[in-house]
Amino acid sequence: MSAGLRSGIYTGPVFHRRLRPKVHALRYRLFMLLVDLDEWDDLIGRLRWLGAGRFGLMTLRQADHGDGSETPLKVQIEQRLRDAGIPAGGRVQLLTLPRILGYGFNPISVYFCHAEDDRLTAILYEVSNTFGGRHSYLMPVGAASGPVRQAVDKAFHVSPFMDMDLTYRFEVDPPEGVADEITRVSITVDDAEGPMLLTGFSGVRTPLTDANLRRAWLSHPLLTLKVIAGIHWEAIRLALKGLRLRGGITPAYPVTVGGPSEPSAGARHA
């Protein structure tokens, strides 16, 4: 089943470290699916443990992403690219958490967008909060090799313990589809004084097969429940440390388009 697929499974640690005003850290393991949007229907039709309904061992629903409409997800993303003047027409790959036993929540999903000549031309970061809001940051990618570095001002309220006047700095090792590769997405959150939060995910690729899906589920049987429970548990811990709640905005799936990216030269690294 995995031969020739651009989709895969990525398993590894998530880390989160707040530097100010209180030091606070967490780290745990999870798995994410990298789904080539052109392979979406084929994956669901051929993989026993991956379905498209509301309930199942693992499920994918296009309505959990984008604007939540019935418009195919790739059509939505390519329209966003065209509106921003970014070359499109190639593969679009989505790094995301599947629903587990019918429940799903994605703090962040990442789309890797390519032109017709297969150049990576943009990365779209789709952020959701626990209040039901969703926002995307669409960032063009330059031509240099190595990790992709991008930055954008915060435009969407996520954590109730963080202000809006912040900047996100992304550093990404995009997936290339080779065996055992490591894909990394890290985010540094800056305020006027400098870095205040470091967070990210680093996953090792395995083929997207029924055997590997079953193995991933057995290792993380309550994956998405673990994520949402962890968010609320960490919120309680932060409140006990004396952090006060902040207000914010929760727009209904707009898109912030960033400026040119700042890719770095050099080798990929974990």
Side-chain angles (χ1 to χ4, degrees):
M1 170 60 197
S2 63
L5 284 180
R6 294 188 290 259
S7 302
I9 304 173
Y10 289 79
T11 305
V14 167
F15 70 90
H16 182 104
R17 181 172 177 81
R18 183 186 289 263
L19 306 177
R20 293 182 282 107
K22 301 285 186 178
V23 175
H24 182 79
L26 64 92
R27 183 183 179 92
Y28 57 91
R29 288 180 63 82
L30 53 72
F31 71 91
M32 302 185 78
L33 302 184
L34 181 75
V35 180
D36 189 295
L37 297 187
D38 288 332
E39 296 175 345
W40 185 291
D41 292 337
D42 187 47
L43 292 173
I44 291 171
R46 296 174 60 183
L47 287 168
R48 177 182 180 185
W49 301 117
L50 186 64
R54 291 185 175 273
F55 186 81
L57 187 66
M58 281 173 273
T59 54
L60 290 171
R61 295 181 61 219
Q62 296 208 34
D64 289 338
H65 303 280
D67 61 12
S69 72
E70 295 182 1
T71 302
L73 193 51
K74 187 173 182 182
V75 173
Q76 294 184 42
I77 300 304
E78 290 197 324
Q79 185 61 55
R80 300 291 183 184
L81 294 170
R82 287 192 291 269
D83 290 346
I86 299 173
R91 57 194 166 104
V92 176
Q93 294 174 294
L94 169 62
L95 184 66
T96 191
L97 295 171
R99 284 178 174 254
I100 302 291
L101 300 176
Y103 179 76
F105 177 72
N106 273 286
I108 183 169
S109 296
V110 183
Y111 300 79
F112 300 95
C113 308
H114 297 76
E116 290 182 349
D117 61 3
D118 210 37
R119 287 181 300 116
L120 179 67
T121 56
I123 300 177
L124 186 146
Y125 305 90
E126 184 177 76
V127 181
S128 299
N129 62 27
T130 56
F131 314 112
R134 189 182 302 158
H135 187 87
S136 288
Y137 298 93
L138 177 59
M139 310 290 292
V141 170
S145 61
V148 176
R149 294 192 173 104
Q150 301 166 310
V152 67
D153 290 338
K154 180 180 177 180
F156 174 67
H157 184 55
V158 181
S159 168
F161 296 100
M162 298 184 70
D163 294 318
M164 288 296 298
D165 190 16
L166 301 170
T167 298
Y168 295 137
R169 287 189 286 120
F170 303 97
E171 183 167 331
V172 180
D173 289 321
E176 295 179 351
V178 299
D180 299 323
E181 73 172 351
I182 296 176
T183 288
R184 180 177 62 95
V185 178
S186 65
I187 306 170
T188 300
V189 182
D190 295 330
D191 62 10
E193 299 178 23
M196 64 170 299
L197 175 68
L198 311 173
T199 186
F201 168 72
S202 180
V204 178
R205 181 185 176 99
T206 54
L208 185 48
T209 64
D210 273 317
N212 286 338
L213 281 173
R214 185 171 59 252
R215 187 176 297 113
W217 182 81
L218 289 172
S219 299
H220 311 82
L222 299 177
L223 174 65
T224 46
L225 288 173
K226 174 182 176 181
V227 169
I228 195 67
I231 289 171
H232 287 94
W233 172 239
E234 296 305 321
I236 292 171
R237 292 179 61 197
L238 288 170
L240 292 175
K241 288 184 177 183
L243 272 67
R244 64 179 179 84
L245 296 175
R246 269 77 165 174
I249 56 175
T250 304
Y253 191 64
V255 176
T256 297
V257 179
S261 63
E262 299 177 357
S264 66
R268 293 164 59 93
H269 59 279

